[in-house]
């Protein structure tokens, strides 16, 4: 018999909240429970006054869920509710200034990099996937985390339609495809299921994907960021020790205004900008072979120059990129020697070089 929500609730009903002496289920502390093919996700909601002190209870509830027969993985996050509003996760309550907050690294991963954009639809996920593949092809052990929980695209872009296995300690094993280790909430649940999760649950689930997935050993973990500069993206930038960010934009002015917002978000939390990628740059017509500049051209390079950020390269607007993406066979894999793959490889080369330098101590400035 497939595991049901009732099975999980029945097991969790045995866990007693030491503060009230009542079960966590009776007190309605279990929120957003999702059960799918043995994978369980929920939030333990505690009064704001308890905050972090409720961590042992969260661990107990998580252990109780893991102990249920048939459960493969558990995502149990703590959220604190404040005056009726469900605002901050316990760990980010009483939020200190961003720079004062401890940033968390990912065990066994040398560099975590974010691929971000100021708005959706500019090709952020397409660039993230092909950049990860290009880094992998260059010899770096690479992973790809799909952090766009409300609209995960990695299952489609890499044609992955199975659930991840779990290893010792019920840690989630990333799914390997085309040489990449990858994880996406889309592997575990349907999009509409995640839609019931409020921001704090999403943030905590993302942190768990960073800490409870067996990424090690990796040289680079590419994070396909949630679109835009909202709370989810911002919290991720505040809490994860990012080696740098790659910003994707199309060449139009409007898109570039959004790209500036994304750059500002990373700068605020002192994440180095590895550079800007101009996607959907020149269109090369397959019929006449001529170049057309549908969205303009060169806007990202000029914006990068104006902001003092490196320019990483241009990816042409080519129907093939979309067709191959939709088929789950990225251009970097299918046509590794073509001009599109070369464009992604060029970006990857600059990203890898930038990661090398961010690791080195800053050069001494000598005034003569
Ligand atoms: P985002 O992650 O920014 O929302 P996607 O990567 O999902 O954007 O891309 C949006 C759409 O544009 C997809 O259909 C994708 O296949 C297509 N696309 C992205 N980059 C290119 C490109 N360089 N040439 C052609 N189509 C592209």
């Amino acid at each position: 018999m497939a595991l049901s929500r009732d099975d999980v609730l029945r097991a969790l009903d045995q866990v007693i909240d030491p503060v009230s002496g009542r079960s966590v289920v009776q007190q309605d502390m279990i929120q957003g429970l999702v059960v799918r093919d043995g994978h369980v996700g929920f939030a333990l909601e505690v009064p704001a006054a308890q905050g972090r002190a409720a961590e042992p209870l969260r661990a107990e509830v998580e252990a109780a869920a893991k102990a249920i027969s048939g459960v493969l993985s558990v995502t149990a996050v703590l959220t604190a509710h404040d005056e009726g509003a469900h605002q901050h996760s316990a760990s980010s309550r009483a939020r200190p200034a961003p720079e004062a907050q401890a940033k968390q690294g990912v065990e066994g991963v040398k560099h975590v990099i974010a691929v971000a954009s100021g708005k959706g639809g500019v090709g952020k996920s397409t660039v993230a996937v092909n950049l990860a593949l290009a880094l992998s092809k260059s010899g770096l052990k690479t992973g790809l985390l799909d952090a766009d929980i409300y609209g995960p695209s990695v299952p489609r872009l890499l044609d992955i339609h199975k659930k991840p296995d779990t290893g010792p300690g019920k840690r989630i094993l990333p799914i390997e495809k085309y040489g990449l280790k990858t994880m996406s909430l889309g592997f575990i649940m349907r999009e509409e299921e995640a839609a019931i999760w409020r921001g704090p649950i999403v943030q905590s689930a993302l942190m768990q994907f960073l800490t409870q997935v067996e990424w090690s050993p990796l040289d680079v973990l590419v994070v396909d960021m949630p679109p835009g500069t909202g709370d989810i993206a911002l919290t991720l930038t505040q809490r994860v020790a990012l080696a740098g960010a790659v910003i994707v934009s199309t060449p139009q002015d409007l898109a570039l205004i959004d790209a500036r917002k994304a750059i500002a978000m990373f700068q605020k939390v002192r994440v180095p900008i590895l550079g800007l990628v101009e996607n959907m740059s020149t269109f090369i017509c397959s019929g006449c072979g001529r170049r057309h500049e549908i969205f303009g051209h060169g806007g990202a390079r000029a914006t990068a120059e104006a902001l003092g950020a490196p320019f990483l390269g241009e990816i042409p607007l080519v129907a093939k990129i979309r067709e191959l993406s939709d088929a789950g066979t990225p251009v970097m894999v299918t046509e590794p020697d073509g001009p599109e793959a070369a464009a992604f490889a060029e970006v990857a080369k600059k990203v890898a070089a930038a990661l090398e330098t961010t690791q080195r101590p800053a050069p001494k400035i000598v005034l003569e």
Side-chain angles (χ1 to χ4, degrees):
M1 264 269 288
L3 186 76
S4 70
R5 294 182 70 216
D6 283 346
D7 296 332
V8 176
L9 288 172
R10 216 171 301 121
L12 299 189
D13 202 17
Q14 307 302 313
V15 182
I16 305 298
D17 169 21
V19 175
S20 65
R22 290 168 62 211
S23 116
V24 291
V25 173
Q26 280 164 27
Q27 285 191 102
D28 236 7
M29 293 168 84
I30 306 298
Q31 298 287 324
L33 173 63
V34 177
V35 178
R36 186 161 161 77
D37 299 335
H39 296 278
V40 176
F42 59 85
L44 176 73
E45 199 161 68
V46 297
Q50 279 181 44
R52 252 186 206 290
E55 172 53 31
L57 182 62
R58 188 209 64 80
E60 198 186 329
V61 174
E62 182 181 64
K66 279 185 177 171
I68 304 169
S69 115
V71 167
L72 297 175
S73 75
V74 177
T75 305
V77 302
L78 193 59
T79 66
H81 83 131
D82 212 354
E83 293 151 343
H86 308 293
Q87 285 175 347
H88 307 299
S89 73
S91 48
S92 64
R93 271 178 350 99
R95 230 179 249 191
E99 56 275 20
Q101 223 165 7
K103 291 191 179 185
Q104 200 173 340
V106 182
E107 211 186 311
V109 177
K110 278 195 207 138
H111 307 285
V112 183
I113 64 169
V115 175
S117 65
K119 62 168 191 168
V122 298
K124 171 182 56 62
S125 297
T126 308
V127 171
V129 164
N130 284 286
L131 170 63
L133 289 164
L135 288 167
S136 162
K137 194 171 167 227
S138 77
L140 296 172
K141 286 196 204 78
T142 309
L144 175 67
L145 170 63
D146 183 356
D148 190 354
I149 279 191
Y150 291 130
S153 41
V154 166
R156 176 175 51 88
L157 293 177
L158 295 180
D159 190 24
I160 297 174
H161 303 284
K162 60 175 183 179
K163 309 268 169 284
D165 291 326
T166 42
K170 297 206 172 168
R171 281 172 70 80
I172 301 172
L173 302 177
I175 295 185
E176 301 217 23
K177 186 91 187 248
Y178 306 133
L180 294 181
K181 285 185 182 170
T182 92
M183 182 61 203
S184 166
L185 190 74
F187 298 160
I188 293 176
M189 56 180 77
R190 281 194 294 264
E191 270 179 44
E192 64 272 19
E193 289 173 319
I196 65 166
W197 285 3
R198 291 184 301 264
I201 307 188
V202 168
Q203 283 154 8
S204 304
L206 282 176
M207 292 310 289
Q208 292 206 353
F209 277 171
L210 287 161
T211 55
Q212 293 190 4
V213 171
E214 208 53 75
W215 294 109
S216 178
L218 283 185
D219 294 310
V220 190
L221 176 61
V222 176
V223 180
D224 181 6
M225 290 287 286
T229 51
D231 260 8
I232 297 174
L234 183 63
T235 306
L236 211 57
T237 59
Q238 286 170 346
R239 292 180 59 190
V240 182
L242 293 168
V246 172
I247 312 293
V248 181
S249 180
T250 49
Q252 320 88 305
D253 288 348
L254 266 181
L256 285 163
I257 290 172
D258 288 317
R260 281 171 189 254
K261 283 190 206 147
I263 290 178
M265 173 179 78
F266 287 106
Q267 284 175 335
K268 204 163 111 193
V269 291
R270 306 213 171 99
V271 172
I273 303 297
L274 299 173
L276 227 74
V277 175
E278 181 168 292
N279 187 34
M280 306 195 197
S281 192
T282 309
F283 170 67
I284 301 169
C285 174
S286 54
C288 68
R290 289 220 306 266
R291 293 162 65 104
H292 301 273
E293 277 148 21
I294 299 199
F295 295 131
H297 171 238
R301 184 189 289 272
T303 300
E305 269 166 21
L307 297 173
F311 183 66
L312 297 173
E314 295 166 5
I315 310 297
L317 174 68
V318 197
K320 194 194 296 168
I321 292 185
R322 185 186 53 73
E323 286 156 13
L324 291 172
S325 294
D326 283 348
T329 53
V331 69
M332 203 59 223
V333 172
T334 321
E335 300 192 9
D337 302 320
E340 297 81 18
F344 285 115
E346 192 54 37
V347 171
K349 201 166 120 191
K350 290 194 181 136
V351 167
L355 288 175
E356 283 275 303
T357 40
T358 54
Q359 245 189 346
R360 269 190 239 135
K364 279 212 187 81
I365 296 170
V366 181
L367 294 174
E368 298 196 349

